Amino acid sequence: MPDTKSRTRIQRQNREAILEAALEVFSAQGFRGATLDQIAAAAGLSKPNVLYYFASKEAIHHALLSGLLDNWLAPLRALDPAGEPLAEILGYVRRKVEISRDFPRESRLFANEILQGAPRMMAAIEGELKALVDEKAAVIRNWSAQGRIAAVDPYHLIFSIWALTQHYADFDVQVRAVLGPGHDPFAEAGSFIETLFTKLLAPAA
Amino acid sequence: MPDTKSRTRIQRQNREAILEAALEVFSAQGFRGATLDQIAAAAGLSKPNVLYYFASKEAIHHALLSGLLDNWLAPLRALDPAGEPLAEILGYVRRKVEISRDFPRESRLFANEILQGAPRMMAAIEGELKALVDEKAAVIRNWSAQGRIAAVDPYHLIFSIWALTQHYADFDVQVRAVLGPGHDPFAEAGSFIETLFTKLLAPAA
DNA sequence: TTGATGTTTGACCATCTGGTCAGTTGCAGG
DNA sequence: CCTGCAACTGACCAGATGGTCAAACATCAA
């Protein structure tokens, strides 16, 4: 199992193909629902060959999840304490909507993991994720205290942004089934959610 | 497989025990992740005995899902076109929060199903669910047109209620991990979400 | 060309899992 | 007490699945 830093061209290509295929399969079927044969077929490789690049099914899943966390936290990390409060929060919202639109499989992979009790991500959630949220919640609380935005619980503000944006990726089939054809769920959601938070955060008169 | 309408006391008890156990296991592991052995163990029965009451794993899952839909739609169904608009919508929100608090496993079962593309629920979603949402969306749109609440897209209003309330059931472990101890997520969420929609729906001055 | 290393595969294995079945046990009505 | 049906079980099966391995094949520098 060659996983030192020295990767040949073929190694890089095949590892990439496997991760892409695994994302497709894991996000649609969950960890236990996915099979190595499905992943191998989707990657255009034989099963033993897949296991030549990754030690186990677990290892593939783990590689996906660790690669995911940074991208997942980036939008919140970019929230600037020195910026204009409402613009910063709406910017965060917009970035999250875009991520849901452009990376729905990643969102579903994450949702699957949390739904099952986050067995393989608890550490990251209690560590990195919580630390970042704590930090940004303090920033938002400060903005509220200064009267620059309405007084809201910053944690639940963040949760509500997660809930609203991820919903459109995770429950995509339901949203589309209910809306019927001729809709662009993410575009509509974007402006709806923006309105929602604009009204919520308007400072008291 | 005795599933006529005539059920003995033991039949009722054991079927109930199996469904309860299956809800626990399916909601935590997803359909493919769950095994009959787990369900049988959780129900305190042997595997063959479980299959004496239900024809297959599929049949158990199906029984759970069909029993679920009605309870799931009830809160929206209760939204009264003749009532006071804001009170009706906030009442719907409150009912959904309570359901997330009291039936988180059912919420996760549902979430698992939708996440995987709703393979066993598409019909119900495109049928019953869509019909009910269409009906209530028309009611809400009417309220908006009359200026009794702000002008909002009624579909995305309903989606946002689903997203916010179900998030606290489906992502419970994440919410608790981030909040840390000493919190009552559902109580806090309840008042946060109520505030959110109150501000959103306030009619234009 | 050749050897060495990296890549790929068919065949195989142990285990798990949904499901079957013949037969045993329990129980209620006569 | 007995009979007949409901309830239950151990043993078993076939297919799926994660993973192994020896051997074959490709690639490339010397």
Side-chain angles (χ1 to χ4, degrees), chain A residues 78-170:
Chain A
L79 188 136
D80 181 6
E84 201 279 313
L86 184 60
E88 285 299 322
I89 292 171
L90 290 183
Y92 175 48
V93 167
R94 182 167 15 83
R95 269 169 269 145
K96 283 292 280 181
V97 170
E98 286 166 2
I99 282 192
S100 279
R101 187 214 335 151
D102 298 337
F103 304 99
R105 297 176 306 176
E106 283 82 349
S107 183
R108 285 192 279 269
L109 181 69
F110 190 78
N112 260 307
E113 177 66 12
I114 306 292
L115 255 188
Q116 331 245 313
R120 310 156 210 272
M121 280 203 90
M122 239 337 169
I125 288 175
E126 288 172 331
E128 261 184 279
L129 176 66
K130 176 167 168 39
L132 179 63
V133 173
D134 283 340
E135 174 197 333
K136 298 303 182 181
V139 170
I140 295 172
R141 174 163 295 145
N142 216 37
W143 286 339
S144 283
Q146 297 170 356
R148 303 174 70 187
I149 55 173
V152 294
D153 182 311
Y155 287 93
H156 291 278
L157 174 64
I158 291 171
F159 292 155
S160 67
I161 293 171
W162 291 351
L164 287 166
T165 56
Q166 291 173 20
H167 183 81
Y168 284 89
D170 301 344

Side-chain angles (χ1 to χ4, degrees), chain A residues 19 29 34 50 61 71 95 119 127 136 151 171 178 185 188 192 201-202:
Chain A
L19 288 176
Q29 319 264 37
V50 167
H61 193 251
N71 293 322
R95 269 169 269 145
K136 298 303 182 181
F171 288 68
V178 169
E188 300 171 9
F192 180 90
L201 295 173

Side-chain angles (χ1 to χ4, degrees), chain A residues 29 32-33 108 110 112 115-116 130 156-157 160 162-164 167-168 174 177-178 188 192 196 199-200, chain B residues 32-33 108 110 112 115-116 130 156-157 160 162-164 167-168 174 177-178 188 192 196 199-200:
Chain A
Q29 319 264 37
R32 288 215 47 188
R108 285 192 279 269
F110 190 78
N112 260 307
L115 255 188
Q116 331 245 313
K130 176 167 168 39
H156 291 278
L157 174 64
S160 67
W162 291 351
L164 287 166
H167 183 81
Y168 284 89
Q174 180 181 251
V178 169
E188 300 171 9
F192 180 90
L196 199 162
K199 291 199 181 183
L200 173 67
Chain B
R32 286 214 50 186
R108 285 193 278 269
F110 190 79
N112 261 304
L115 254 188
Q116 331 246 312
K130 174 166 168 41
H156 291 278
L157 173 64
S160 67
W162 291 351
L164 287 165
H167 183 82
Y168 285 89
Q174 180 181 252
V178 169
E188 299 171 9
F192 180 90
L196 200 164
K199 292 199 180 183
L200 173 68

Side-chain angles (χ1 to χ4, degrees), chain B residues 140-152:
Chain B
I140 294 171
R141 174 162 299 153
N142 216 38
W143 285 339
S144 284
Q146 296 172 358
R148 302 175 70 187
I149 56 173
V152 294

